[in-house]
Amino acid sequence: MLRKRSRLIAAPLAAVALSLTIAGYQATAAEPAGPAQKAAAPCLADATTLVGDLDGDGNPDKISDVGLSGTRGTIQWGNEDGSFGEKQYVSKLVGAKAGEGTTAQFADFDKDGTLDMVVNVVKRSEGDDPNTARIAEYRPGPVSRDDLSSPDARHTDIGDMGEAKELRIANYGDDEYPDVAVLNNSGDGNLDRSVRVTEPGKGIGDWNREHDEKYGETGTTPEPPKMPTDGWSHFYERCS
């Protein structure tokens, strides 16, 4: 009888606890977005999907990067109820034109809790001579849902010395700040791995000879340099 009575008591208690959990989640979701509401830390839904607040509304957004090369990125904006909207291509959001290639990467580069982005848009060259990027920016979050613009955007030199074919998240210096590896078409059939190391509190830095000699690599179109393949996994854990 004692065991049966314990089970009878435990069942209502479990139901109450579950109700309180749901009520607490709903209360949190119902809070208005603003500076006081901070989203959870970025995490990985899987190896190619980063979840974190990109637009600063306190709701996590979902960023997918199939292949981890920055060339096929999509965004799903998060809703207050925890759901996500339809996939939108990064290239379309940033206004890429016909014949242009878009490469972009996302991470909390400045470690302020909101995701940031690096974006490069360039007309793809048809010969050996690389084209100069039309858009080459580091955009600290939050960014706009409409066009991924940022009031604090600044020019990067990615694309100033070649044509970016890929942007990949990398781990140079073995610290907590994500870096970027660029597969760079420097012309005449040459492909280089050029690096941009993050400066603490400032975001992605520009080309640096010391960093490039230490972490960079030269190659060719038939034999391209090895690019990082671990993506975000160095910096973010799986979502619980």
Side-chain angles (χ1 to χ4, degrees):
M1 290 297 294
L2 288 175
R3 290 181 181 176
K4 183 175 181 181
R5 179 176 175 81
S6 297
R7 289 196 298 268
L8 291 173
I9 293 173
L13 287 176
V16 171
L18 180 60
S19 298
L20 289 173
T21 300
I22 294 173
Y25 174 82
Q26 290 175 336
T28 301
E31 292 178 2
Q37 184 180 353
K38 187 176 181 180
C43 61
L44 294 178
D46 56 52
T48 62
T49 305
L50 179 65
V51 177
D53 187 11
L54 180 61
D55 60 353
D57 66 355
N59 302 314
D61 307 301
K62 186 181 291 186
I63 300 164
S64 296
D65 182 17
V66 177
L68 300 174
S69 64
T71 59
R72 300 168 62 187
T74 61
I75 295 174
Q76 292 173 266
W77 298 112
N79 303 312
E80 290 186 1
D81 62 1
S83 64
F84 298 95
E86 295 182 357
K87 285 187 177 182
Q88 300 183 54
Y89 282 95
V90 173
S91 57
K92 184 175 181 179
L93 286 169
V94 299
K97 302 175 182 178
E100 290 185 327
T102 301
T103 50
Q105 277 299 344
F106 301 82
D108 186 7
F109 293 107
D110 57 11
K111 304 293 290 183
D112 67 351
T114 303
L115 295 177
D116 317 299
M117 71 178 293
V118 179
V119 60
N120 194 274
V121 179
V122 60
K123 183 178 180 180
R124 293 302 187 200
S125 61
E126 298 179 358
D128 288 337
D129 295 330
N131 289 327
T132 301
R134 180 173 65 85
I135 299 174
E137 291 185 339
Y138 167 64
R139 299 180 178 182
V143 302
S144 167
R145 287 194 176 200
D146 296 328
D147 57 5
L148 302 183
S149 61
S150 167
D152 299 315
R154 60 174 169 80
H155 176 77
T156 73
D157 65 357
I158 297 174
D160 286 359
M161 297 177 287
E163 185 178 310
K165 308 288 284 186
E166 295 182 358
L167 293 180
R168 292 178 178 263
I169 295 295
N171 179 29
Y172 299 123
D174 197 27
D175 57 22
E176 62 179 342
Y177 294 93
D179 307 304
V180 172
V182 185
L183 182 61
N184 183 58
N185 171 18
S186 55
D188 297 327
N190 296 312
L191 287 177
D192 311 322
R193 184 181 70 229
S194 184
V195 305
R196 300 297 187 276
V197 175
T198 297
E199 301 176 8
K202 297 181 180 179
I204 289 294
D206 285 334
W207 183 87
N208 178 289
R209 182 179 298 277
E210 180 182 351
H211 293 155
D212 223 52
E213 290 178 350
K214 187 174 183 179
Y215 304 117
E217 182 182 338
T218 58
T220 62
T221 301
E223 298 182 358
K226 185 178 180 180
M227 297 294 287
T229 57
D230 294 338
W232 294 300
S233 63
H234 279 293
F235 306 98
Y236 305 114
E237 298 180 354
R238 287 296 181 101
C239 302
S240 58

